[in-house]
């Protein structure tokens, strides 16, 4: 158990019904996604959780201004509803009065004499949500109570999610229970476990973004990569240059306000999810030309679409000013994604510019290298580390502390870490590829082919939900359950995640949980965005109406 961490005590009642014990813990593992590192049964029979008397107490918080207290207070509200969903008002995150006159329920309440109390004591309430923050936890459930130990608030959030998945409901007695006493020791395999969402190809509203973030927390994902600007549209607000969104958005209503973006960032923070914005450049920037044509060479402007920024000092100054505004006012994370993919370098075929030292630079590849290097340094001036798509690694010279996101060829991961860079894998996890099912995504390991002594340079990965054919009407069942397969691959140790087929029953259970929590999730038996094959349970498989194959 982690010493002096976060501990949680919930008073639990006697067993609600007899049960045999599975000494392997498989009956508990079946309920958990992603799969924990270690699950150990501790005794016989289920233990009851009293929803009427349950309450939270954050020891050491009181009127403390520390961020961890605010995070825990918000989490207590959410998880009380997730612990006891059949006695909850999902809109207000509060429990409903039962008002029951049932004699067996009154008898049950008399049996549960002790008030259920959740006490939380945090060693480091000020631990920042950042790359590499400790998310480990130790969860122990017994008839005497539930104890969660963790070094940080963020580990406590992951433990609360696991506990919420363990709590079951007895419909006959209308009572809640955990299947058996147990101990779970858990920690993530990778520190960067993300989802890219694209709000530029199709605009996504703030409520839709929040629904996605909430579902991400159920799978213990911790990074939202927000692709905000594109050739097609520009919806990001700017106080210094409001004309960018005024002229670049799809429509007058498909834009974000300053408050909208901050609200999304704060909402994700309370769920332990970092928001990393992507402002793709120097390509994928045609929407910028509607208000600032001076950022482009005339040869590029003559094209109908797919423009590229002119890599001049004036362009870099303009971009630095915007990045300074956005990083100082909205985005708190230490990382920025600055694109660099699919640049139409033919725009620069006849372009010649002067670099900051007064030297003449010409030729598309040299100009690309100039742009990537210059924007990296501008981000560094803003105390931000830069992430680039893998074209920047293949076609430019970058400092070792640049992070490379690999999407074109998985073999590039090994080349990236051999060069001393840190890598994030997205190859194999493109959710807009609807023909690809969850099994291939589950088997896709970020460190395959990477020497053991370089595994630490592989930060993790991201599934990518590009928005060409996705909007608010179909995003949910395009993401899930395939995103859950990626989430387990990034959280769970290789030694506890064997084959996709072995994981399938648990994924079916998790898909049922998502549906119960209001998350749109396609059937496990299908590929991307598939429909149920006919009438059946939430665990049904293709070709088996009403039956589980």
């Amino acid at each position: 158990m982690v010493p002096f961490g976060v501990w949680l005590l919930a008073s639990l009642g006697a067993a609600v019904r007899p049960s045999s014990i599975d000494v392997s813990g498989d009956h508990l593992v079946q309920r958990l996604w992603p799969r924990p590192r270690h699950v150990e049964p501790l005794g016989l029979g289920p233990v009851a959780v009293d929803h009427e008397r349950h309450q939270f107490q954050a020891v050491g918080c009181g009127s403390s201004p520390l961020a961890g207290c605010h995070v825990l207070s918000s989490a207590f509200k959410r998880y009380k509803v997730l612990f006891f969903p059949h006695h909850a008002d999902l809109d207000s995150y509060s429990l409903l009065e039962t008002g029951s006159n049932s004699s067996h329920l009154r008898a049950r309440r008399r049996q549960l004499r002790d008030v259920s109390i959740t006490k939380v004591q945090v060693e480091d309430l000020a631990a920042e949500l950042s790359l590499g923050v400790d998310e480990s936890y130790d969860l122990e459930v017994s008839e005497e109570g539930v104890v969660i130990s963790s070094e940080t608030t963020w580990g406590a959030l992951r433990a609360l999610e696991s506990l919420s998945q363990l709590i079951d409901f007895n419909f006959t007695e209308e009572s809640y229970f955990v299947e058996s006493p147990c101990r779970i020791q858990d920690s993530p395999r990778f520190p960067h476990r993300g989802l890219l969402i694209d709000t530029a190809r199709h605009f996504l509203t703030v409520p839709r973004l929040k629904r996605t973030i909430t579902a991400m927390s159920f799978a213990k994902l911790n990074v939202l990569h927000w692709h905000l600007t594109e050739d097609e549209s520009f919806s990001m607000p700017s106080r210094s240059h409001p004309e960018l969104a005024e002229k670049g958005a799809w429509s007058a209503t498909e834009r974000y306000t300053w408050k909208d973006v901050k609200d999304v960032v704060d909402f994700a923070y309370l769920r332990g999810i970092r928001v990393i914005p992507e402002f793709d450049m120097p390509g994928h920037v045609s929407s910028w030309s509607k208000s600032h044509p001076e950022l482009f060479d005339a040869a590029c402007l003559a094209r109908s679409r797919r423009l590229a920024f002119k890599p001049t000092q004036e362009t870099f100054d303009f971009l630095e000013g915007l990045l300074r505004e956005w990083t100082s006012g909205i985005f708190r994370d230490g990382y920025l994604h600055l694109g660099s993919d699919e640049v139409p370098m033919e725009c620069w075929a006849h372009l010649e510019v002067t670099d900051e030292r007064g030297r003449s630079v010409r030729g598309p590849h040299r100009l690309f290298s100039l742009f990537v290097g210059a924007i990296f340094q501008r981000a560094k001036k803003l105390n931000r580390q830069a992430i680039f798509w893998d074209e920047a690694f293949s076609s430019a010279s970058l400092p070792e502390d640049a992070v490379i996101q690999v999407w074109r060829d998985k073999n590039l991961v090994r080349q990236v870490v051999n060069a001393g860079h840190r890598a994030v894998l997205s190859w194999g996890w493109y959710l807009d590829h609807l023909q690809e099912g969850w099994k291939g995504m589950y088997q896709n390991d970020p460190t395959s082919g990477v020497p053991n002594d370089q595994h630490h340079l592989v930060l993790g990965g991201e599934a990518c939900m590009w928005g060409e054919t996705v909007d608010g009407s179909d995003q949910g069942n395009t993401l899930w359950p395939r995103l859950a397969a990626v989430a387990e691959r990034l959280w769970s140790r290789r030694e506890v995640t064997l084959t996709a087929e072995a994981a399938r029953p648990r994924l079916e259970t998790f898909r049922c949980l998502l549906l119960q929590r209001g998350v749109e999730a396609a059937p496990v038996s299908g590929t991307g965005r598939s429909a149920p094959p006919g009438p059946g349970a939430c665990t049904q498989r293709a070709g088996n109406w009403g039956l589980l194959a």
Side-chain angles (χ1 to χ4, degrees), residues 439 496 501:
K439 289 184 180 180
V496 301
E501 200 53 42

Side-chain angles (χ1 to χ4, degrees), residues 19 59 102 190 228 250 256 302 330 407 417 420 455 510-511 513:
S19 174
V59 177
S102 169
F190 293 104
L228 275 155
W250 280 116
Y256 300 108
I330 300 181
W407 73 280
V417 299
H455 280 190
F510 186 66
R511 189 244 176 178
L513 179 69

Side-chain angles (χ1 to χ4, degrees), residues 110-130:
R110 285 195 295 271
Q111 291 175 18
L112 299 175
R113 294 170 185 247
D114 294 333
V115 175
S116 291
I117 301 174
T118 300
K119 294 182 180 178
V120 180
Q121 181 177 341
V122 181
E123 173 69 11
D124 185 5
L125 287 166
E128 290 290 335
L129 180 62
S130 59

